[in-house]
Amino acid sequence: MSIVSDLELVSLTKRYGQTVAVDAISHHFRAGTYACLLGPSGCGKSSTLRMIAGHESVSDGSVVLAGRDVSHLPPAKRGTAMMFQNYALFPHLTVRDNVAFSLRMAGVDKPERHKRADEMLELVEMTQYAARKPDQLSGGQQQRVALARALITRPQVLLLDEPLSALDPFLRIRMRAELKRLQRELGISFIHVTHGQDEALALADDIIVMNNARIEQAGPAREVFSAPRTAFVARFMGGHNVLSLPQGQIALRSDAMSIAPAQGGRLDGKVSNIEYQGTHVALTAQVAGDQEITALLSDEAFFAAPTELGQVIGLNWSDQAAHPLSE
Ligand code: ADP
């Protein structure tokens, strides 16, 4: 439907007075990928997204889409579209007119804009609600309308700011699958801001982890999860222990740890917590240097040789499960 294009951020910077919200970040978003900007609140994700969209001015650096510097173009002229967190639907307009709004602004005639609005409503499975007003829709339905409204401009890049945060957990997982389906079908790039690592892992081809206004690590989702480069990424992505050794810090996958009798592993630890999680048991042990290590053991492995609180055990891992971390 659209021409797919790469998006490049070049030393992109945002300052609000003395605050540096985004500090000279550079990243190449490959065309047609689902990318998640992931990081804790305040790390600069939304500012980055808004600069890409053109809803926030660029303090320094540039946004380049399909080889064209769009940094100073108005939002509607960039080839991007944004779906807002609060959907921002017009309450007095019907669903169809909400979706067609930007075409009306662009002077597209009524039959044509209705035709295109109806196509978009079909895409998000909202055809039967075309004549309703937004307050006659559920949260999930309003979100579909907001999506259709953003997509009607045929953007090369769709920008989504915490699009699932207002939904209940059940709907969130359903809409997550829906977003992924839409991205695949349209073949355009989606850039999705979230602070949830599970959401990013479920959706993203590429994850860009941000911390303190900078990109901490970026790459394919599986690589960022399984080979974190910094302690921050290892902790934020979860599923890892960060262990300080005399030679430096390493990240250890919790699910790649095994336990052995005392002195039979690489390290000894004293069991400090045992948490039953159904398919797994999370066993935490206190090791030298007042550090804790969690081993995620299969239910079978744990109950074959159950341990008790306070017991000293050996902890083992394979070399592949350990990743040296940099500062
Ligand atoms: P995130 O989306 O990761 O939560 P933001 O991009 O919203 O982060 O914010 C990054 C930093 O910039 C924060 O310190 C925030 O307080 C600040 N900030 C964001 N918007 C503004 C603004 N309009 N004026 C002043 N400071 C802002």
Side-chain angles (χ1 to χ4, degrees), residues 112-165:
E112 173 67 13
R113 57 177 201 257
H114 277 184
K115 179 172 154 273
R116 280 175 57 187
D118 288 346
E119 282 167 14
M120 286 300 129
L121 288 171
E122 197 180 323
L123 184 71
V124 298
E125 292 163 7
M126 285 291 291
T127 303
Q128 67 195 103
Y129 303 99
R132 290 211 190 163
K133 297 279 176 62
D135 67 358
Q136 297 169 307
L137 302 176
S138 71
Q141 291 168 336
Q142 289 183 25
Q143 178 156 49
R144 286 164 190 268
V145 177
L147 262 174
R149 192 178 57 170
L151 290 169
I152 202 166
T153 62
R154 296 178 178 160
Q156 296 162 46
V157 180
L158 180 69
L159 305 163
L160 308 112
D161 194 357
E162 302 263 4
L164 306 176
S165 62

Side-chain angles (χ1 to χ4, degrees), residues 197-243:
Q197 54 82 30
D198 54 337
E199 192 167 302
L201 285 171
L203 282 166
D205 299 311
D206 290 335
I207 295 183
I208 298 99
V209 182
M210 291 186 69
N211 182 27
N212 277 331
R214 291 175 182 256
I215 293 176
E216 187 95 4
Q217 183 170 350
R222 190 163 175 230
E223 188 182 301
V224 172
F225 179 78
S226 59
R229 285 205 288 265
T230 66
F232 175 84
V233 175
R235 291 200 178 98
F236 197 81
M237 296 306 296
H240 286 83
N241 296 289
V242 175
L243 185 64

Side-chain angles (χ1 to χ4, degrees), residues 259 276 281 283 297-307 311:
I259 60 169
Y276 179 60
V281 176
L283 179 147
L297 306 169
S298 72
D299 160 272
E300 203 181 1
F302 178 82
F303 288 103
T307 53
Q311 188 178 335

Side-chain angles (χ1 to χ4, degrees), residues 60-137:
D60 247 314
S62 47
V63 178
V64 180
L65 182 55
R68 186 172 70 130
D69 188 340
V70 299
S71 314
H72 303 288
L73 293 179
K77 295 255 154 71
R78 294 190 172 204
T80 58
M82 178 112 162
M83 198 190 94
F84 294 95
Q85 199 169 15
N86 59 5
Y87 317 139
L89 299 175
F90 298 112
H92 57 287
L93 295 183
T94 63
V95 162
R96 180 185 281 120
D97 288 338
N98 261 288
V99 173
F101 188 77
S102 64
L103 299 184
R104 195 171 103 197
M105 291 294 102
V108 175
D109 66 33
K110 198 168 177 173
E112 173 67 13
R113 57 177 201 257
H114 277 184
K115 179 172 154 273
R116 280 175 57 187
D118 288 346
E119 282 167 14
M120 286 300 129
L121 288 171
E122 197 180 323
L123 184 71
V124 298
E125 292 163 7
M126 285 291 291
T127 303
Q128 67 195 103
Y129 303 99
R132 290 211 190 163
K133 297 279 176 62
D135 67 358
Q136 297 169 307
L137 302 176

Side-chain angles (χ1 to χ4, degrees), residues 14-17 19-22 37-50 56 161-162 193-195 210 213:
K14 181 68 201 180
R15 284 183 290 268
Y16 301 101
T19 309
V20 182
V22 180
L37 290 180
L38 173 67
S41 178
C43 72
K45 305 178 298 294
S46 286
S47 299
T48 301
L49 201 73
R50 293 200 306 266
E56 192 71 77
D161 194 357
E162 302 263 4
V193 160
T194 177
H195 57 264
M210 291 186 69

